Coordinates of all heavy atoms in Angstrom, one line a residue:
N290 N 0.8 -1.3 0.0 CA 0.0 0.0 0.0 C 0.9 1.3 0.0 O 1.6 1.4 1.0 CB -0.9 0.0 1.3 CG -1.8 1.2 1.3 OD1 -1.4 2.3 1.6 ND2 -3.1 0.9 1.1
M291 N 0.8 2.1 -1.1 CA 1.7 3.2 -1.2 C 1.5 4.2 -0.1 O 2.5 4.6 0.5 CB 1.5 3.9 -2.6 CG 2.4 5.0 -2.9 SD 4.2 4.4 -3.0 CE 4.1 3.5 -4.6
E292 N 0.3 4.6 0.2 CA 0.1 5.7 1.2 C 0.6 5.2 2.6 O 1.3 6.0 3.3 CB -1.4 6.1 1.3 CG -1.9 6.8 0.0 CD -2.1 5.8 -1.2 OE1 -2.3 4.6 -1.0 OE2 -2.0 6.3 -2.3
E293 N 0.2 4.0 2.9 CA 0.8 3.5 4.3 C 2.3 3.4 4.3 O 2.9 3.7 5.3 CB 0.2 2.0 4.4 CG 0.5 1.5 5.8 CD -0.1 0.1 5.9 OE1 -1.2 -0.3 5.4 OE2 0.6 -0.8 6.5
S294 N 2.9 3.0 3.1 CA 4.3 2.8 3.1 C 5.1 4.2 3.1 O 6.0 4.4 4.0 CB 4.8 2.1 1.8 OG 4.2 0.8 1.9
V295 N 4.5 5.2 2.4 CA 5.1 6.5 2.5 C 5.0 7.1 3.9 O 6.0 7.7 4.3 CB 4.4 7.5 1.4 CG1 4.8 8.9 1.7 CG2 4.8 7.1 0.0
E296 N 3.9 6.9 4.6 CA 3.8 7.4 5.9 C 4.7 6.6 6.9 O 5.3 7.3 7.8 CB 2.2 7.2 6.4 CG 2.0 7.7 7.8 CD 2.5 9.0 8.2 OE1 2.6 9.9 7.3 OE2 2.6 9.3 9.4
W297 N 4.9 5.3 6.7 CA 5.7 4.6 7.6 C 7.2 5.1 7.4 O 7.8 5.3 8.5 CB 5.8 3.1 7.2 CG 6.4 2.2 8.3 CD1 5.9 1.6 9.3 CD2 7.8 2.0 8.3 NE1 6.9 1.0 10.0 CE2 8.0 1.1 9.4 CE3 8.9 2.2 7.5 CZ2 9.3 0.7 9.8 CZ3 10.2 1.8 7.9 CH2 10.4 1.0 9.0
Y298 N 7.6 5.3 6.2 CA 9.0 5.8 6.0 C 9.2 7.2 6.4 O 10.3 7.7 6.9 CB 9.5 5.6 4.5 CG 9.8 4.2 4.2 CD1 8.9 3.2 3.8 CD2 11.3 3.8 4.4 CE1 9.3 1.9 3.6 CE2 11.6 2.5 4.1 CZ 10.6 1.5 3.7 OH 10.9 0.2 3.5
R299 N 8.2 8.1 6.3 CA 8.3 9.4 6.8 C 8.3 9.4 8.3 O 9.2 10.0 9.0 CB 7.0 10.2 6.4 CG 7.1 11.7 6.8 CD 5.7 12.4 6.8 NE 4.8 11.7 7.8 CZ 4.9 11.9 9.1 NH1 5.8 12.6 9.6 NH2 4.0 11.3 9.9
K300 N 7.4 8.7 9.0 CA 7.3 8.8 10.5 C 8.5 8.0 11.1 O 8.9 8.6 12.2 CB 6.0 8.0 10.9 CG 5.7 8.0 12.3 CD 4.4 7.2 12.6 CE 4.2 7.0 14.1 NZ 2.9 6.3 14.4
N301 N 9.0 7.0 10.6 CA 10.0 6.2 11.3 C 11.4 6.5 10.9 O 12.3 6.2 11.7 CB 9.7 4.7 11.2 CG 8.5 4.3 11.9 OD1 8.4 4.4 13.1 ND2 7.4 4.0 11.2
L302 N 11.6 7.0 9.6 CA 13.0 7.1 9.1 C 13.2 8.6 8.6 O 14.3 8.9 8.2 CB 13.3 6.2 8.0 CG 13.2 4.7 8.4 CD1 13.6 3.8 7.2 CD2 14.0 4.3 9.6
G303 N 12.1 9.4 8.6 CA 12.3 10.8 8.2 C 12.4 11.0 6.6 O 12.8 12.1 6.2
F304 N 11.9 10.1 5.8 CA 12.0 10.2 4.3 C 10.8 11.1 4.0 O 9.7 11.1 4.5 CB 11.8 8.9 3.7 CG 13.1 8.1 3.5 CD1 13.6 7.4 4.6 CD2 13.8 8.1 2.3 CE1 14.8 6.7 4.4 CE2 15.0 7.5 2.2 CZ 15.5 6.8 3.3
E305 N 10.9 12.0 2.9 CA 9.9 12.7 2.3 C 9.7 12.4 0.8 O 10.6 12.1 0.2 CB 10.3 14.2 2.5 CG 10.3 14.7 3.9 CD 9.0 14.6 4.7 OE1 7.9 14.6 4.1 OE2 9.0 14.4 5.9
V306 N 8.6 12.6 0.3 CA 8.3 12.3 -1.0 C 8.9 13.5 -1.9 O 8.8 14.7 -1.6 CB 6.7 12.4 -1.3 CG1 6.5 12.4 -2.8 CG2 6.0 11.2 -0.6
V307 N 9.6 13.0 -2.9 CA 10.4 13.9 -3.8 C 9.8 13.9 -5.2 O 10.0 14.8 -6.1 CB 11.9 13.8 -3.7 CG1 12.4 14.3 -2.5 CG2 12.3 12.5 -4.2
K308 N 9.1 12.8 -5.6 CA 8.6 12.6 -7.0 C 7.5 11.6 -6.9 O 7.7 10.5 -6.3 CB 9.8 12.2 -7.9 CG 9.3 12.1 -9.3 CD 10.6 11.7 -10.1 CE 10.0 11.4 -11.6 NZ 11.1 10.7 -12.3
E309 N 6.4 11.9 -7.5 CA 5.3 10.9 -7.7 C 5.0 10.7 -9.1 O 4.6 11.6 -9.8 CB 4.1 11.5 -7.0 CG 4.2 11.6 -5.5 CD 2.9 12.0 -4.8 OE1 1.9 11.3 -5.0 OE2 2.8 12.9 -4.0
D310 N 5.4 9.5 -9.6 CA 5.1 9.3 -11.0 C 3.7 8.8 -11.3 O 3.3 8.7 -12.4 CB 6.1 8.1 -11.5 CG 7.6 8.6 -11.6 OD1 7.8 9.9 -11.6 OD2 8.5 7.8 -11.6
G311 N 3.0 8.5 -10.2 CA 1.6 8.0 -10.4 C 1.6 6.5 -11.0 O 2.7 5.8 -10.8
Y312 N 0.6 6.3 -11.7 CA 0.5 4.9 -12.4 C 1.4 5.0 -13.7 O 1.3 5.8 -14.5 CB -0.9 4.6 -12.8 CG -1.1 3.2 -13.4 CD1 -1.0 2.1 -12.5 CD2 -1.3 3.0 -14.7 CE1 -1.1 0.8 -13.2 CE2 -1.4 1.8 -15.3 CZ -1.3 0.7 -14.5 OH -1.4 -0.6 -15.0
V313 N 2.4 4.0 -13.8 CA 3.2 3.9 -14.9 C 2.8 2.7 -15.7 O 3.1 1.6 -15.4 CB 4.7 3.8 -14.5 CG1 5.6 3.7 -15.6 CG2 5.1 5.0 -13.6
P314 N 2.1 2.9 -16.9 CA 1.5 1.9 -17.7 C 2.6 0.7 -18.1 O 2.1 -0.5 -17.9 CB 1.0 2.4 -18.8 CG 0.6 3.8 -18.4 CD 1.7 4.2 -17.4
P315 N 3.7 1.1 -18.5 CA 4.7 -0.1 -18.9 C 4.9 -1.1 -17.7 O 5.2 -2.3 -17.9 CB 5.9 0.6 -19.3 CG 5.5 2.0 -19.7 CD 4.3 2.3 -18.8
L316 N 4.9 -0.6 -16.4 CA 5.2 -1.4 -15.3 C 4.0 -1.9 -14.6 O 4.1 -2.8 -13.8 CB 6.0 -0.7 -14.3 CG 7.5 -0.2 -14.7 CD1 8.1 0.6 -13.6 CD2 8.3 -1.5 -15.1
K317 N 2.9 -1.2 -15.0 CA 1.5 -1.5 -14.3 C 1.6 -1.4 -12.8 O 1.1 -2.2 -12.1 CB 1.0 -3.0 -14.7 CG 0.9 -3.1 -16.3 CD 0.4 -4.5 -16.5 CE 0.2 -4.6 -18.1 NZ 0.1 -6.0 -18.5
A318 N 2.2 -0.2 -12.4 CA 2.4 0.0 -11.0 C 2.4 1.5 -10.7 O 2.7 2.3 -11.6 CB 3.7 -0.6 -10.5
K319 N 2.1 1.8 -9.5 CA 2.2 3.2 -9.0 C 3.7 3.3 -8.5 O 4.2 2.4 -7.9 CB 1.3 3.6 -7.9 CG -0.1 3.8 -8.3 CD -0.9 4.4 -7.1 CE -1.4 3.5 -6.1 NZ -2.3 4.0 -5.1
I320 N 4.3 4.5 -8.8 CA 5.7 4.7 -8.3 C 5.8 6.0 -7.6 O 5.3 7.1 -8.1 CB 6.7 4.7 -9.5 CG1 6.6 3.3 -10.2 CG2 8.1 5.0 -9.1 CD1 7.4 3.2 -11.4
V321 N 6.5 6.0 -6.5 CA 6.9 7.2 -5.7 C 8.3 7.2 -5.2 O 8.7 6.1 -4.8 CB 5.9 7.4 -4.5 CG1 6.3 8.5 -3.5 CG2 4.3 7.6 -4.9
F322 N 9.0 8.3 -5.4 CA 10.4 8.3 -4.8 C 10.3 9.1 -3.5 O 9.7 10.2 -3.4 CB 11.2 9.1 -5.8 CG 11.7 8.3 -7.0 CD1 10.8 8.2 -8.1 CD2 12.8 7.6 -7.0 CE1 11.1 7.4 -9.2 CE2 13.2 6.8 -8.1 CZ 12.4 6.8 -9.3
I323 N 10.9 8.6 -2.5 CA 11.1 9.2 -1.2 C 12.6 9.4 -1.0 O 13.5 8.8 -1.5 CB 10.5 8.4 -0.1 CG1 11.0 7.0 0.0 CG2 8.9 8.4 -0.2 CD1 10.5 6.2 1.2
E324 N 12.9 10.4 -0.2 CA 14.4 10.9 -0.1 C 14.6 11.3 1.4 O 13.8 11.9 2.0 CB 14.7 11.8 -1.0 CG 16.2 12.3 -1.0 CD 16.5 13.4 -2.0 OE1 16.1 13.1 -3.2 OE2 17.2 14.4 -1.7
K325 N 15.9 10.9 1.8 CA 16.4 11.5 3.1 C 17.9 11.7 2.9 O 18.6 10.7 2.5 CB 16.1 10.5 4.3 CG 16.7 11.0 5.6 CD 16.5 10.0 6.7 CE 17.2 10.4 7.9 NZ 16.7 11.4 8.8
D326 N 18.3 12.8 3.2 CA 19.8 13.1 3.1 C 20.5 12.7 1.8 O 21.5 12.2 1.8 CB 20.6 12.4 4.3 CG 20.1 12.9 5.7 OD1 19.7 14.0 5.8 OD2 20.2 12.1 6.6
G327 N 19.7 12.9 0.7 CA 20.2 12.7 -0.7 C 20.1 11.3 -1.1 O 20.5 11.0 -2.2
Y328 N 19.6 10.4 -0.2 CA 19.4 9.0 -0.6 C 17.9 8.7 -0.9 O 17.0 9.1 -0.2 CB 19.8 8.0 0.6 CG 19.5 6.6 0.3 CD1 20.2 5.9 -0.7 CD2 18.6 5.9 1.1 CE1 19.9 4.6 -0.9 CE2 18.3 4.7 0.8 CZ 19.0 3.9 -0.1 OH 18.6 2.7 -0.4
Q329 N 17.7 8.2 -2.0 CA 16.3 7.9 -2.4 C 15.9 6.4 -2.4 O 16.8 5.5 -2.7 CB 16.0 8.5 -3.9 CG 16.1 10.0 -3.9 CD 15.8 10.5 -5.3 OE1 15.5 9.7 -6.3 NE2 15.8 11.7 -5.4
I330 N 14.7 6.2 -2.2 CA 14.1 4.9 -2.3 C 12.9 5.0 -3.3 O 12.1 5.9 -3.1 CB 13.6 4.3 -0.9 CG1 14.7 4.1 0.1 CG2 12.7 3.0 -1.2 CD1 14.4 3.7 1.4
E331 N 12.8 4.1 -4.3 CA 11.7 4.1 -5.2 C 10.7 3.1 -4.7 O 11.1 1.9 -4.7 CB 12.3 3.7 -6.6 CG 11.2 3.7 -7.7 CD 11.8 3.3 -9.0 OE1 13.0 2.8 -9.0 OE2 11.2 3.6 -10.0
L332 N 9.5 3.5 -4.4 CA 8.5 2.6 -4.0 C 7.6 2.2 -5.2 O 7.1 3.0 -5.9 CB 7.6 3.3 -2.9 CG 8.4 3.7 -1.6 CD1 7.4 4.4 -0.7 CD2 9.0 2.4 -0.9
F333 N 7.2 0.9 -5.3 CA 6.4 0.4 -6.3 C 5.2 -0.2 -5.6 O 5.3 -1.1 -4.8 CB 7.1 -0.8 -7.1 CG 8.3 -0.4 -7.8 CD1 9.6 -0.4 -7.2 CD2 8.2 0.0 -9.2 CE1 10.6 0.0 -7.9 CE2 9.4 0.3 -9.9 CZ 10.6 0.3 -9.2

């Protein structure tokens, strides 16, 4: 679950959303990038 995951990483590790690609048809997935101190995690 994207919303739950973004909130978990924000609340527990201090990550913030830096880019929301939304639904990406070639992958058939929603994609959001979160970042802390220059390090990014791409959530699918």
